[in-house]
Amino acid sequence: MEGAAPKILFADVAGVDEAKTELEEIVQFLKTPERYTKLGAKIPKGVLLVGPPGTGKTLLAKAVAGEAGVPFFSISGSEFIELFVGVGSSRVRDLFDQAKKQAPCIVFIDELDAIGKSRSSGGFYGGNDEREQTLNQLLTEMDGFSADGKTVIVLAATNRPETLDPALLRPGRFDRQVLVDRPDKSGREAILKIHAAKVTLGPDVDLVAMAARTPGFSGADLANLVNEAALLAARAGRTAVSQADLAEAIERVVAGLEKKSRVLNEKERRIVAYHEVGHALVGALNPGSGKVEKISIVPRGMAALGYTLQLPTEDRFLQSKEELETQIATLLGGRSAEELVFGSITTGAANDLQRATDLAEKMVTGYGMSQVLGPLAYQQPQNSFLGGGTMGRSVSPATAEAIDNEIKAIVEAGHHKALEILRHNRGLLEEIAEKLLENETMEGSQLHEWLSQVQTPAPVAA
Ligand code: ADP
Ligand code: MG
Ligand code: ZN
């Protein structure tokens, strides 16, 4: 619960430029609150930093206080778990009392999920009393302090935003969220530079090459890497860190990481790159579901190996049959690219296939878009035993079979369409995939320019 202003600045954090830009404004609020309050604007109270472990959330929170030159108070949610009832809430009260005395300042709550877990997820017997009281106290404090005109901004960090109690995310609480993601290649280079500046480097060290060899590393992993290399050099009695030390340190850090997350080998990276570009190329011909804004092959934990981000250009509530069909083709674009280029299929497309199948099922059973089955709704809510309220159908076996056949036909048609588009644009597919392998992410106008070259294949008779 220290109080002094940290010496850490934004310059000590790298590879998270978006997050820094958003937090820049918080620094301004702390430095010159009058500028905003004079106009009647309310200063935000809570900002949630969301991202995987070791990406620099704590570091960024300190840097906000450091840049603004204000005191920094912090607690961690996990400290409260073992406490007796009542202790957690009184700690929260004390913390905010101190903070208000020293306003403007930052209160940082690490591991917010440990106190802020959704109350409904507490289990049959109502969950943990202590946690609930602590959470309520926190909500009370946050609701209270605007009234007394003190600028206390609460920053909190979590890597599990989906588990948080919705009460925490309401307006006036943690209503701003800032994504702190794993760095891409140029981000890793910048982070390596920061940490390498603290050790003595030999003349052969090439940080650009090191950045290229560390996809998936977080900022903390990179800091650890530099430190391991320095230890190796010191153990060997050398006076500077060499490229070989860094290379060996990578092995060590990777060995530690392999248990936690996946580090892709070169073959896998190629497959993921072609897969994502496959989605992007097919998606580029489908303006109905938005522009492709970003492709990334920076690994993110277990879930997705890469991703393609398609943002809607306008709010859409109605979608035509053709749009849904192209959406299915886009979902199959990843797997189709793998088939086309590598002649084999990996498990990476499982989620895509599930989503494509779900969409096709909705078209047939919910939207009446199938010629064969006609405009009937075959979906009806069924109460499952545990009250899940899942959708299921109770139809005759013959109809069920017809539905399955229709779903299969729709998905297959999407698959063919995707293959056709990719065959027709094979050269572009390779060019963009190679570019992506080089840079790991592609976005904005550079990406739009590439994708504007995608050509619609000439229609062939079915
Ligand atoms: P988090 O809170 O997201 O788990 P931390 O801020 O605690 O991560 O990071 C731990 C350490 O790793 C930092 O003190 C710093 O040395 C290093 N680090 C992490 N992210 C970055 C980054 N983006 N830039 C520079 N160093 C970083
Ligand atoms: Mg942290
Ligand atoms: Zn995919």
Side-chain angles (χ1 to χ4, degrees):
M1 277 215 252
E2 62 278 30
K7 295 204 168 54
I8 290 165
L9 298 173
F10 279 148
D12 299 309
V13 196
V16 284
D17 296 342
E18 291 274 304
K20 275 205 242 177
T21 309
E22 289 187 55
L23 292 170
E24 197 78 61
E25 196 182 19
I26 304 295
V27 173
Q28 294 310 319
F29 290 143
L30 288 163
K31 273 186 168 163
T32 51
E34 327 76 58
R35 215 169 88 195
Y36 302 87
T37 49
K38 231 178 18 203
L39 285 167
K42 279 212 190 83
I43 289 178
K45 289 184 202 166
V47 180
L48 187 60
L49 306 173
V50 178
T55 46
K57 298 181 293 298
T58 307
L59 197 62
L60 273 169
K62 287 186 179 157
V64 170
E67 291 283 339
V70 303
F72 181 83
F73 297 91
S74 78
I75 46 168
S76 171
S78 60
E79 289 169 29
F80 293 115
I81 290 175
E82 301 287 315
L83 294 181
F84 294 113
V85 175
V87 176
S89 50
S90 74
R91 269 223 210 155
V92 169
R93 201 177 319 117
D94 289 349
L95 177 71
F96 278 88
D97 282 348
Q98 279 196 45
K100 275 184 275 190
K101 278 184 211 140
Q102 297 206 44
C105 67
I106 290 280
V107 169
F108 177 61
I109 305 176
D110 207 354
E111 301 179 77
L112 180 66
D113 39 284
I115 27 175
K117 235 180 258 162
S118 168
R119 278 172 282 198
S120 62
S121 73
F124 209 73
Y125 294 100
N128 178 326
D129 265 353
E130 171 55 18
R131 194 182 64 219
E132 217 161 282
Q133 287 192 16
T134 309
L135 173 58
N136 283 335
Q137 188 63 36
L138 175 62
L139 296 176
T140 308
E141 295 291 347
M142 287 188 81
D143 292 346
F145 62 59
S146 70
D148 29 30
K150 298 265 167 67
T151 312
V152 177
I153 294 182
V154 188
L155 299 182
T158 182
N159 51 13
R160 308 171 60 209
E162 70 288 349
T163 65
L164 292 178
D165 197 296
L168 278 165
L169 306 177
R170 273 194 211 126
R173 293 170 181 167
F174 294 102
D175 50 7
R176 290 194 172 204
Q177 303 199 2
V178 173
L179 182 67
V180 187
D181 218 339
R182 288 201 181 87
D184 66 7
K185 191 161 102 182
S186 62
R188 294 196 299 273
E189 186 190 333
I191 295 172
L192 282 169
K193 268 202 191 113
I194 289 175
H195 293 283
K198 299 169 193 162
V199 303
T200 313
L201 293 185
D204 70 329
V205 168
D206 179 355
L207 295 181
V208 178
M210 285 297 131
R213 289 184 49 187
T214 46
F217 277 43
S218 68
D221 298 330
L222 294 167
N224 187 7
L225 163 67
V226 172
N227 190 53
E228 281 286 334
L231 289 175
L232 284 169
R235 246 175 248 145
R238 276 179 272 110
T239 53
V241 174
S242 70
Q243 186 76 349
D245 293 323
L246 285 164
E248 192 177 336
I250 288 185
E251 309 280 313
R252 294 185 176 215
V253 176
V254 167
L257 282 178
E258 242 148 27
K259 285 170 228 128
K260 280 189 285 174
S261 71
R262 278 174 52 79
V263 176
L264 298 183
N265 67 33
E266 197 45 37
K267 171 108 191 288
E268 289 172 317
R269 279 187 79 230
R270 293 190 71 76
I271 294 177
V272 172
Y274 277 86
H275 178 109
E276 295 307 327
V277 176
H279 284 307
L281 288 190
V282 180
L285 288 182
N286 179 18
S289 52
K291 255 191 154 144
V292 179
E293 293 295 347
K294 182 171 182 177
I295 322 179
S296 162
I297 56 165
V298 178
R300 280 142 224 276
M302 315 292 255
L305 299 176
Y307 69 88
T308 302
L309 182 67
Q310 200 172 11
L311 293 180
T313 39
E314 53 187 320
D315 281 339
R316 296 292 302 273
F317 299 103
L318 292 173
Q319 285 185 305
S320 69
K321 184 178 172 209
E322 289 67 36
E323 281 169 358
L324 291 171
E325 282 168 353
T326 7
Q327 221 167 308
I328 291 173
T330 304
L331 284 166
L332 285 149
R335 174 200 168 109
S336 303
E338 289 185 37
E339 264 176 80
L340 203 61
V341 177
F342 301 97
S344 63
I345 296 164
T346 66
T347 53
N351 180 43
D352 298 336
L353 298 185
Q354 186 62 52
R355 283 169 58 202
T357 311
D358 290 349
L359 259 185
E361 176 162 356
K362 276 208 195 99
M363 289 172 68
V364 176
T365 65
Y367 307 148
M369 287 174 174
S370 150
Q371 293 284 352
V372 181
L373 289 142
L376 295 178
Y378 294 92
Q379 274 180 333
Q380 30 183 245
Q382 273 182 354
N383 272 332
S384 76
F385 178 62
L386 293 169
T390 51
M391 301 292 265
R393 45 191 149 89
S394 57
V395 293
S396 72
T399 308
E401 195 183 332
I403 290 175
D404 286 341
N405 287 338
E406 271 297 275
I407 294 172
K408 192 162 168 234
I410 292 176
V411 174
E412 267 305 314
H415 184 197
H416 280 292
K417 183 169 178 173
L419 276 172
E420 216 176 286
I421 293 173
L422 294 176
R423 270 200 203 103
H424 193 76
N425 293 280
R426 175 74 187 247
L428 194 60
L429 170 66
E430 312 230 339
E431 267 181 280
I432 302 181
E434 291 307 320
K435 194 96 198 150
L436 183 62
L437 278 164
E438 167 86 23
N439 300 329
E440 295 180 6
T441 56
M442 289 173 82
E443 59 194 314
S445 54
Q446 179 214 16
L447 178 63
H448 293 160
E449 201 162 299
W450 278 105
L451 292 179
S452 69
Q453 301 173 46
V454 185
Q455 290 176 356
T456 318
V460 279

